[in-house]
Amino acid sequence: MFIRDSKKLKHVTQSAGVVLAIYLGINIGLMALAESVERQHEVYPWREEDMLRYMLPSMFVPGDREPLWLVGPSEAREDLLAVSFDEHFPSLAAYQGALSLGTMDDFLLTLEYVERAYGQEAMPRVMVLGLTPRFVANIPRQGSPMVAVIDRYSPTFRVVGSKDGPTLAPKSFAQGLASRGRFLMKQQKRFKAGLYGQALRYSPLSRGDGHAAETDGNASTAWMSYTYRPQNLLDAVDRKLRIHTMPYKYHNLRPMRQDAMAAWMTAKSSFWHTVHQWQPDDDADMIHSRFTRLRAIVERLGIELYVVNLPEHPMNRAAYQPGRYERYVTIVKEELGETPFLDLRILLVAMEFYDVGHATLEGAQRVTDTVIKFLADHRVSTSK
């Protein structure tokens, strides 16, 4: 009986070892696949938790082209199309790094994190920073998703407070080990994005550069629009794959109704209510300290910084207390000094918005084209 039990235990142990080896092999393979497409910015995993991308060294590996970051709040994510920047600036590699519910403090934290975690070579050569009053005001001021991600998943750093906003401190070995374990449990959606990206590399509809093929004279991003109608099953599959590898959340959705926008914007529980009541002069010292910190980073690393005041829906524009938006713009300009600044607040009309802040695909193309011209003109003038 003992011999039979020993043989049975040995067989079970061997089987478990085989299963574990297969599981580890699959995960290692998926990890390598994900890293491969991430290095080329062919995928943006975690569409619903975009701050997690800053935990991936593969997204910040220097390549043949110098990095151009598109950063700011979620409006900057929807309004600035990375593919168009890639097409117009072939010596630069555009990375869409804007953050959902991102604030100025979150943005500064990401700059510090990338430099300290991945090195100066991972930092951008050119940076387009999109601004909104909510972003500059650091609203909401509690419960930052970016802070939560670093504290929970970073293997090396945690967030601590300072007089100039949140900053990084080292984690202990035990804390880092626990964070690595937690982050391993977040890989499923990353692996899925990696598989989508690999499938797109071999898509017969691809132009071979990771972007959608042009059809019927439309722009290369036309497939993202909710008005786009796939021509066949292959086209429909290709579109689904692309949507789930790009950073944009709303371009393939029908815009919100006007009454829904109004209800969201006027609800006292909404951050919009706080934003529209915000008095910039009350936070002038805070704004000064954050822009001082930004200017110091940009000057030290030699980053070309361009700042864009992002468009707002007409309903949003009308909701501010008199004079306060204008005061916000004045303070920002004073803090930026000679930094190139482009004010696009009134560029778009109501039908070009998905909601009160984020542009539709068509609106985003207009914003992107305007910003690209601004960059191109400024870079030409300064090179003479």
Side-chain angles (χ1 to χ4, degrees):
M1 176 69 73
F2 177 75
I3 294 175
R4 287 200 301 271
D5 288 346
S6 296
K7 288 182 177 179
K8 184 176 180 180
L9 178 61
K10 182 179 180 181
H11 177 72
V12 170
T13 302
Q14 289 175 339
S15 298
V18 170
V19 171
L20 179 61
I22 293 173
Y23 174 79
L24 290 175
I26 290 173
N27 276 269
I28 291 171
L30 290 172
M31 188 82 71
L33 177 66
E35 288 182 358
S36 171
V37 291
E38 287 161 4
R39 285 170 181 266
Q40 303 301 319
H41 294 166
E42 295 175 13
V43 298
Y44 286 84
W46 297 298
R47 292 179 71 241
E48 303 304 321
E49 297 176 276
D50 44 28
M51 63 291 301
L52 283 168
R53 296 173 198 144
Y54 282 93
M55 301 298 102
L56 296 176
S58 53
M59 300 292 286
F60 301 95
V61 174
D64 297 333
R65 298 183 295 160
E66 294 184 299
L68 182 160
W69 286 12
L70 309 171
V71 289
S74 57
E75 288 88 344
R77 181 195 65 224
E78 300 297 308
D79 293 6
L80 300 173
L81 303 175
V83 60
S84 294
F85 283 88
D86 272 339
E87 291 170 348
H88 286 82
F89 301 105
S91 65
L92 302 173
Y95 169 66
Q96 178 47 265
L99 296 170
S100 297
L101 275 182
T103 63
M104 189 71 168
D105 278 353
D106 293 329
F107 163 61
L108 292 171
L109 202 57
T110 62
L111 293 181
E112 182 183 1
Y113 189 88
V114 172
E115 183 179 8
R116 293 182 64 178
Y118 312 133
Q120 288 190 7
E121 63 275 11
M123 297 297 283
R125 175 68 180 86
V126 180
M127 189 160 60
V128 178
L129 171 61
L131 298 184
T132 67
R134 185 195 65 77
F135 179 84
V136 173
N138 280 317
I139 297 171
R141 298 185 179 180
Q142 306 294 329
S144 160
M146 189 68 233
V147 170
V149 160
I150 293 174
D151 282 343
R152 186 166 178 79
Y153 300 114
S154 170
T156 49
F157 296 106
R158 59 190 174 89
V159 180
V160 295
S162 78
K163 64 181 180 63
D164 294 321
T167 188
L168 300 175
K171 282 183 177 176
S172 68
F173 176 79
Q175 290 173 328
L177 192 61
S179 293
R180 289 179 189 276
R182 284 191 289 265
F183 195 49
L184 283 175
M185 304 303 293
K186 298 287 291 185
Q187 300 302 300
Q188 184 177 5
K189 291 183 179 180
R190 180 193 180 192
F191 292 163
K192 184 183 293 186
L195 289 169
Y196 287 164
Q198 185 69 5
L200 284 172
R201 284 178 169 178
Y202 298 100
S203 169
L205 301 181
S206 174
R207 300 179 308 183
D209 61 357
H211 303 139
E214 295 190 16
T215 56
D216 301 326
N218 294 326
S220 60
T221 49
W223 56 271
M224 283 189 290
S225 173
Y226 81 95
T227 60
Y228 178 79
R229 296 292 178 266
Q231 301 301 306
N232 49 52
L233 179 60
L234 180 62
D235 192 24
V237 171
D238 186 84
R239 179 174 186 264
K240 179 177 176 62
L241 292 176
R242 296 183 189 283
I243 287 173
H244 286 280
T245 56
M246 300 300 281
Y248 318 110
K249 291 184 183 180
Y250 306 130
H251 293 165
N252 62 312
L253 302 179
R254 187 179 297 276
M256 288 179 65
R257 301 191 318 271
Q258 296 279 324
D259 59 336
M261 290 188 205
W264 175 36
M265 199 170 56
T266 57
K268 290 192 176 181
S269 59
S270 168
F271 63 71
W272 285 116
H273 177 76
T274 306
V275 170
H276 293 141
Q277 300 296 318
W278 178 55
Q279 171 54 271
D281 284 316
D282 291 344
D283 286 321
D285 290 342
M286 181 268 289
I287 296 171
H288 175 71
S289 73
R290 284 9 177 219
F291 276 97
T292 298
R293 187 175 164 189
L294 173 60
R295 289 197 309 271
I297 295 171
V298 167
E299 291 169 7
R300 176 170 56 83
L301 298 177
I303 299 171
E304 285 182 41
L305 175 63
Y306 301 87
V307 177
V308 179
N309 194 41
L310 295 168
E312 290 189 321
H313 191 286
M315 291 170 57
N316 196 353
R317 298 177 214 158
Y320 290 91
Q321 294 294 310
R324 293 191 180 178
Y325 190 96
E326 292 72 18
R327 184 61 185 148
Y328 145 77
V329 173
T330 298
I331 292 175
V332 166
K333 286 182 176 180
E334 290 173 351
E335 294 296 339
L336 289 173
E338 299 300 315
T339 302
F341 177 80
L342 179 64
D343 190 351
L344 298 183
R345 187 194 189 198
I346 62 173
L347 176 70
L348 303 182
V349 298
M351 64 184 298
E352 293 176 295
F353 284 90
Y354 164 77
D355 58 20
V356 296
H358 305 96
T360 62
L361 176 62
E362 294 75 14
Q365 194 65 67
R366 272 229 293 155
V367 174
T368 298
D369 290 345
T370 305
V371 174
I372 285 173
K373 185 178 186 305
F374 175 65
L375 261 68
D377 290 348
H378 190 273
R379 300 188 94 204
V380 168
S381 66
T382 54
S383 65
K384 292 180 179 179

